[in-house]
Amino acid sequence: MSLTGGIVLYSVLWFLVLFVLLPFGQQSQADVGQVTPGTPAGAPHEPKLKKKMLWATLIAALIWGVIAYVIIGGIITRADLEAWTR
């Protein structure tokens, strides 16, 4: 895996994990009873983005480490993947 490939893989994993984490622990403004004028009642009350971004960073790093180990360690190679298509 090249440096560019590693960075791209980490970026994709980070955004994927962040989008999975966004709805967890979410309360809408209607649930809390504090609807800000001009916003829909279903808008998040406190999104806690910093905390979710930190968790996304940690989880993505863990997943990236496992995938990088598999690729760099030669556990699964391109030849293995080509054998599956035949």
Side-chain angles (χ1 to χ4, degrees), residues 37-55:
T39 63
H45 175 63
E46 290 181 6
K48 301 176 186 171
L49 288 178
K50 287 183 183 179
K51 183 177 179 181
K52 291 179 182 182
M53 288 169 55
L54 176 65
W55 275 107

Side-chain angles (χ1 to χ4, degrees), residues 7-13 17 20-21 23 26 38 40-41 43-44 53 60-61 64 69 74 76-78:
I7 292 170
V8 168
L9 177 62
Y10 182 78
S11 300
V12 169
L13 286 172
V17 171
V20 168
L21 290 177
Q26 200 63 264
M53 288 169 55
W64 182 87
Y69 176 76
I76 297 176
T77 62
R78 288 184 183 173

Side-chain angles (χ1 to χ4, degrees), residues 29-44:
Q29 293 179 6
D31 293 340
V32 178
Q34 299 175 349
V35 179
T36 305
T39 63

